Amino acid sequence: MTSRQSLRAAFYRGGTSKAVMFNAADLPAEKELRDKIFLHVMGSPDAYGRQLNGLGGGISSLSKVVILEPSKRDDADVDYTFVQIAVDEPVADYGQMCGNMSSAVGPFALEEGMVSANGESATVRIYNTNTEKILHATFPVKDGLPVEDGDFEIPGVSQTGAKVTLDFFDPGGTATGKLLPTGRAEDVLAVNDVGRFRASMVDASNPTVFIAAPDAEVSGYENPAELDASPGLAARMDKIRRAAAVAMGMVDRPEDALLSTPKVALVAPPGQFTALDGRSYRPEDHHLSVRFVSMEKFHRAVTLTGAMCVAVAARIPGTLINGLISTRNDILIGNPSGVIPVRAVVEQAPHGIKAVSATTFRTQRRIMEGRLPYPEPTEKEL
């Protein structure tokens, strides 16, 4: 790459993630060139794992890109494409959706003039191109612009903000076409060189394999640093994830599994734990404990799509999670950053169980806006 160019962008926090957000009209049309720009902007690949040479934060939740454009669909206002940027590899992964960054899509669309708002709130209809699913984002506005200040608190974010309500419709089968890819609520998953595990494999918002934490030789109440430091645990989780990808029909061979999907979630009954901010939680404060693996690291909170998959799985008879949940109200998920409420509607349809919707709540903030410089590719690189 030689001479330098620049393009418009904004830097947002959405839920417990951060991403560089682009209006598709400002990006080159060629996907290969777009991906080179995204990697350059985020500072990937970085063998040191810090992304010090870009806007990435060294972990998957802080290494993300969002592309937005007006939708041509009758049931959506905007199209939302999510790109997960690997930290230590030159990989731009389009294989999943980010639920957390979904909370910033509506406000960004309003800021960009793709939608307009009158009154005290706005609902933006969003089509996610990764999953080919519809979601609605509802948030407060003032003078036609998004409101960021508020008193709603989410685990993992130290300041409160304005509540964004996210309704995800028909979230089942986002990657496999089936809510239960194997046709069963519980399976025995055989993993080469690791063992056999009771597992529930559910595809709602993001495909996830749920494993009982004790079966993975952990309690399910540890913090991410403790889990990442557990000898051999990361390697076992990766093998479980790859075996699940084959069992769910996502790939033919374990080595072909994407880095981003499926997710692995270790689940346990509610228990005593201390969140990353030092706050203590008792068993009566939540309904179950979950520890998610994301991009080969244990997540510091819980991915929002993962939380929605938990909510849906909890309403499917026979899953590992269903056996832990007795409440019919909002489900409170204990995670390393605290407790997050989610809800889901699941019903018996003529052809099996159907996930009707999943709902959760986030906050968002526009951190920076401006122009991002990037080197223009040479003729050899094009």
Side-chain angles (χ1 to χ4, degrees):
M1 291 188 178
T2 54
S3 61
R4 191 174 69 179
Q5 302 293 313
S6 67
L7 48 81
R8 294 175 59 248
F11 194 43
Y12 271 79
R13 175 186 63 79
T16 54
S17 293
K18 288 195 290 190
V20 180
M21 301 187 69
F22 296 96
N23 185 325
D26 296 321
L27 290 169
E30 300 83 4
K31 179 180 179 297
E32 184 177 356
L33 180 53
R34 285 186 177 192
D35 291 351
K36 286 180 180 293
I37 292 171
F38 298 157
L39 289 164
H40 177 79
V41 167
M42 301 309 294
S44 293
D46 186 345
Y48 297 100
R50 299 177 65 190
Q51 292 177 307
L52 193 61
N53 208 34
L55 287 173
I59 55 178
S60 63
S61 61
L62 306 180
S63 185
K64 300 183 174 187
V65 165
V66 168
I67 307 167
L68 212 63
E69 59 189 316
S71 182
K72 297 179 181 178
R73 297 172 59 96
D74 293 335
D75 57 354
D77 301 310
V78 294
D79 290 349
Y80 155 43
T81 299
F82 172 69
V83 191
Q84 179 72 62
I85 305 300
V87 173
D88 57 355
E89 298 182 53
V91 174
D93 192 331
Y94 292 73
Q96 63 173 319
M97 175 186 67
C98 178
N100 271 296
M101 288 313 305
S102 300
S103 60
V105 169
F108 181 67
L110 191 56
E111 294 272 8
E112 288 291 304
M114 296 181 190
V115 296
S116 59
N118 297 309
E120 297 182 350
S121 69
T123 296
V124 178
R125 304 173 304 159
I126 302 163
Y127 173 69
N128 176 246
T129 65
N130 307 83
T131 60
E132 300 183 345
K133 298 290 185 177
I134 295 290
L135 64 132
H136 289 178
T138 302
F139 52 93
V141 299
K142 183 178 181 180
D143 298 327
L145 291 174
V147 174
E148 294 181 354
D149 296 332
D151 58 5
F152 187 67
E153 180 181 8
I154 61 172
V157 179
S158 56
Q159 288 83 30
T160 59
K163 181 190 286 187
V164 179
T165 300
L166 296 169
D167 294 304
F168 295 79
F169 300 101
D170 188 23
T174 55
T176 67
K178 299 177 182 178
L179 178 60
L180 296 175
T182 69
R184 295 173 293 275
E186 183 179 315
D187 289 272
V188 175
L189 184 65
V191 184
N192 289 338
D193 302 323
V194 178
R196 296 167 66 85
F197 298 85
R198 291 175 54 223
S200 289
M201 289 172 273
V202 181
D203 181 3
S205 296
N206 255 340
T208 302
V209 52
F210 296 99
I211 303 290
D215 291 349
E217 302 177 4
V218 297
S219 69
Y221 312 123
E222 296 90 346
N223 65 47
E226 292 171 329
L227 292 169
D228 285 338
S230 179
L233 181 59
R236 295 199 301 275
M237 293 299 99
D238 185 60
K239 289 183 178 181
I240 289 172
R241 182 180 65 80
R242 292 179 181 276
V246 175
M248 297 169 85
M250 300 175 68
V251 295
D252 294 327
R253 304 179 304 167
E255 57 266 32
D256 294 332
L258 296 172
L259 283 175
S260 59
T261 54
K263 305 293 187 187
V264 179
L266 302 180
V267 298
Q272 185 84 22
F273 74 95
T274 301
L276 294 175
D277 64 355
R279 189 182 308 182
S280 295
Y281 290 87
R282 303 165 299 171
E284 54 266 36
D285 295 329
H286 53 293
H287 297 120
L288 78 163
S289 181
V290 178
R291 298 295 184 266
F292 261 88
V293 180
S294 178
M295 298 296 282
E296 301 182 308
K297 295 287 186 180
F298 278 91
H299 207 281
R300 295 175 63 85
V302 57
T303 63
L304 198 65
T305 51
M308 290 186 290
C309 194
V310 169
V312 170
R315 300 305 184 208
I316 300 175
T319 65
L320 291 175
I321 291 183
N322 180 260
L324 298 175
I325 298 293
S326 58
T327 182
R328 301 307 302 174
N329 300 317
D330 287 3
I331 298 167
L332 302 177
I333 303 174
N335 66 88
S337 288
V339 172
I340 178 176
V342 292
R343 69 174 69 122
V345 176
V346 174
E347 63 182 26
Q348 183 67 48
H351 301 292
I353 296 289
K354 176 180 175 62
V356 177
S357 65
T359 301
T360 190
F361 314 95
R362 300 276 84 183
T363 61
Q364 61 84 31
R365 178 189 167 197
R366 188 178 179 99
I367 298 171
M368 180 279 295
E369 57 187 28
R371 301 191 69 87
L372 287 172
Y374 68 95
E376 188 175 22
T378 64
E379 292 184 5
K380 182 178 179 180
E381 291 174 310
L382 288 175

